[in-house]
Amino acid sequence: MSEAVSRRRAIGLLGAVGAALGAGGCVAAVPPGGAVPRKASASAAATGAAAARPGSAARIDALLERLTLEEKTALLHGAPDPAPLGQAGYVPGVPRLGIPALRLADGPAGVRVARPATALPAPVMLASAFDPALAREYGRVIGREGRALGQDVLLSPMANLIRTPYAGRNFETFSEDPRLTADLVAEVVRGIQDEGLIATVKHFALGNQEQGRDTVDAVAAEQTLHETELRGFEAAVAAGAGAVMGAYNKVNGTYACENKPLLDELLRGRWGFGGWVMSDRDAAHSTVAAIGAGLDMEMPGGTHFGAPLQQAVRAGTVHEDAVDLAVRRILVTMDRFGLLAGRPPARPARDAAAGARVARKVAAAGAVLLRNERATLPLTGAAARSIAVIGPTGQVPFVGGGGSAHVVPERAPGPLDAIRRRAGDGSTVRYALGEDLYGRPLPARLLNPAADLADRRVEAGRSWSHQGEFTLAADEEWTLLVHYTGKRPGVRLDGEELFPVRPGAAEQFAGGLLGAAPDGLAVRRRTLTLTAGTHRLAVFAEGGAKGQRFRLRHTTNATRAADLAEAVKAAEQAHSVVLFAYEDATEGTDRTSLGLPGGQARLIEAVAAVNPRTTVVLNTSSSTTMPWLSRTGAVLQMYYPGQEGAAATADLLFGDVDPGGRLTQTFPADEQATPVGGDPLRYPGVGGRQEYAEGVHVGHRWYDAQRVAPLFPFGHGLSYTTWEYENLSVRPARGGLRVEFTVRNSGSRKGTEVAQVYVGPSAELKLDQPVRALAGYRRLTLAAGEAQRVVLDIDARALSSWDPEAHAWVPGPGRREVFAGRSSRELHLTAKAVVTSR
């Protein structure tokens, strides 16, 4: 039974003591636990040897003593960059005191600036490798490139759990499981900061959806928070993260960026965080309340922490000591990374080749083979010599999702080329589009008067317009698309604007695949049913300061039928089929369905009907429902595989690499059968409020507690070889349990396995507990016939629960059941051991 979300616990929330902020207008005092050390005098600062020593408190004191109020507040908010590099934020320094500017870049899957960078696989694909060491490599690539590309702070990693499969940013984070998320977030932070780039863990906290993210009140009880969402953030702090980003949403009634129990009492008081807290973009809502709660930096501008903060200090509603404390946290972190040194660390050269190697390694390691019937994969013999590649993302590489995680690399080959190259001479590799994502040109004579809209140029300072009519003989579904380089052209059909500017992030982020054509033009699309008869079409475009290109395109029932027929024909003529399917997720928008968009389900069914040796390669962001599953031969989950995804996909299809990835999120059999399915109060919320009423039963824990059969369970993933587990032993050790068992590659080829250990509840602990919780795992690569003894230590935290009465972790004593196996639902071995309460 889930923990009740009582009002007392919702208000009490997180820590041992903390009252909520008082009403507006009170004086913002220095947050408890953050008292400002006594300042050195100006003369002492100037002459004391300690003041010149990097890393010393005296050095920071000396800077604070000399900063004016205006200079202090300028360090607490973003500003326009005088030399922009396309990054997410800029904070001007104070040159007269040697305080440099800070440049802040997005970067969950690579550094997002205007210049080329390595586009790594999405974090969810990294997580599927179940390999903390690989996570550190991943972080180091981003850290080095961030420094090389002129950045100082990375707005990554994202530690929010995958709570709902609809969330638009699930690909940017790691897992539905708190333990796995914590392990991987910590190593990515370490990797980023190994290279001298400041990591910013986000979005603190409960930023688990895009729908209503600016205003929704996420209500979660204390035990729920500590045992689920907070685990990754706590691990990031323990790993030394330099910064934390506050979320957009409210947490138990208070916006995250002015939430004192969250920022001050928990983050700084309990966890000992010493870095600075910044707001997400435009996520600050106040001046007095925010700085009093522990927010240090407002991004991207100074709406609340610019002139209003100066005024509040002068009016006495904010103590200047609170401003000093916020500045101190930023300066201390900058000093820690050498940014205040007389000679700051030299920036490295970007190593594109090294980045590409890691990108390919991660894409191969994180790929998950979900299904493999009739030895469909790997492609060998006749199956490797006659192949039909079908689907738009078989030709156009799907590098990454949309929004702040989107990175444009120098190069990203398409899967079709990689498959042809690997199949080699003497093979036949056909291609069929299957589904048209970018549209066909409108026939020039469609309109009366006629107009060529296939590729028009509008010169700088000029405009172009056309009005015409066209007639349809019958009702028909059309998708109209506009491709453009400058200001979006206006397109009106029967008086209605087809592509209006949407509010907020939904307009800014249009997807990693669908938002841009292969040649780089921005794309917007609209699907609608047109009735038989005459329709009026009007187009207006402006060249602006630089001029622009645009084109108007469409797909119809007839073009879709032709694409489908071409795909079926190609499948009939080939021995095997590799069909690429997509789902384009992006920041700013949640998914509306867990099924594949467009006509892809129909395409898969039609192709598999004529060729059962069909492999579906999924370039999707999160879990997907698959009504077509039983008709396929194989399903390979490739998520968003980055710039080297094509080569990695070919490696896996042909068996050059064993698929060693495992699901870090449960795939539901039905859209209603999820931890939030069918309950709008859980997702997306009712009246601006959502309740985390699933309690500690997040992800696979909910499926176990409710005895719901998923389509594919957490931890699932097939191999090209077979595996056996044997000889489990469990005994007390090091305050927890030592688990030992043997894993054997019982097949005929080398392979990779992820051995997983789960622990059952304590009967003696009267708190809500999961039926089984992930307690450890080990990624293994073994030769055919090879066996390895796996030794895993289950620490005290994995055997404990959060007690909301004691506001602390308490051990779960007594006889505990331990499971070992291949997934959360394929647990071959079981044993019991006694856990003591000490």
Side-chain angles (χ1 to χ4, degrees), residues 147-160:
R147 292 278 301 144
L149 292 168
Q151 304 304 300
D152 308 295
V153 183
L154 188 78
L155 307 182
S156 179
M158 179 174 169
N160 304 105

Side-chain angles (χ1 to χ4, degrees), residues 348-620:
R350 178 170 172 256
D351 190 339
R357 287 193 296 272
V358 173
R360 183 168 179 173
K361 181 179 179 180
V362 172
V368 185
L369 183 60
L370 298 176
R371 172 181 170 87
N372 193 20
E373 300 295 315
R374 303 180 294 276
T376 299
L377 292 180
L379 300 175
T380 59
R385 293 192 295 271
S386 173
I387 305 168
V389 175
I390 296 172
T393 49
Q395 185 175 47
V396 177
F398 198 160
V399 175
S404 57
H406 187 58
V407 179
V408 179
E410 289 167 311
R411 58 181 293 277
L416 177 61
D417 291 339
I419 290 170
R420 281 179 170 154
R421 193 161 46 248
R422 177 59 181 80
D425 296 338
S427 65
T428 300
V429 179
R430 301 173 177 85
Y431 176 72
L433 182 63
E435 182 182 60
D436 188 349
L437 296 184
Y438 304 108
R440 291 164 166 76
L442 290 169
R445 296 187 178 275
L446 174 72
L447 291 177
N448 183 23
D452 183 3
L453 298 172
D455 192 359
R456 295 209 66 93
R457 296 182 182 273
V458 183
E459 300 300 324
R462 306 292 296 273
S463 63
W464 183 91
S465 64
H466 182 82
Q467 296 185 50
E469 295 181 342
F470 64 94
T471 301
L472 296 180
D475 294 354
E476 190 168 7
E477 183 181 272
W478 277 33
T479 297
L480 280 161
L481 306 95
V482 62
H483 302 202
Y484 59 98
T485 60
K487 180 181 178 181
R488 185 185 311 158
V491 181
R492 301 182 71 85
L493 182 65
D494 298 327
E496 179 191 359
E497 175 58 53
L498 294 184
F499 310 109
V501 174
R502 296 180 295 175
E507 172 60 32
Q508 183 180 0
F509 302 129
L513 175 71
L514 301 179
D519 61 355
L521 271 68
V523 176
R524 293 295 186 272
R525 55 182 48 75
R526 176 81 174 271
T527 298
L528 62 167
T529 299
L530 301 183
T531 58
T534 300
H535 297 272
R536 293 174 290 110
L537 183 69
V539 182
F540 176 77
E542 296 178 278
K546 299 180 180 179
Q548 78 152 316
R549 290 173 56 205
F550 80 91
R551 53 195 178 226
L552 196 63
R553 296 195 169 193
H554 76 319
T555 61
T556 67
N557 291 348
T559 66
R560 286 186 281 269
D563 290 337
L564 182 63
E566 180 192 23
V568 168
K569 181 179 179 181
E572 288 176 320
Q573 295 174 345
H575 185 283
S576 52
V577 175
V578 181
L579 193 157
F580 286 81
Y582 72 90
E583 175 263 316
D584 191 15
T586 182
E587 178 180 354
T589 304
D590 280 348
R591 302 162 73 186
T592 58
S593 169
L594 302 188
L596 294 172
Q600 292 182 95
R602 183 170 63 252
L603 174 65
I604 293 170
E605 290 172 350
V607 166
V610 300
N611 193 330
R613 294 174 300 278
T614 294
T615 295
V616 176
V617 177
L618 292 172
N619 291 134
T620 54

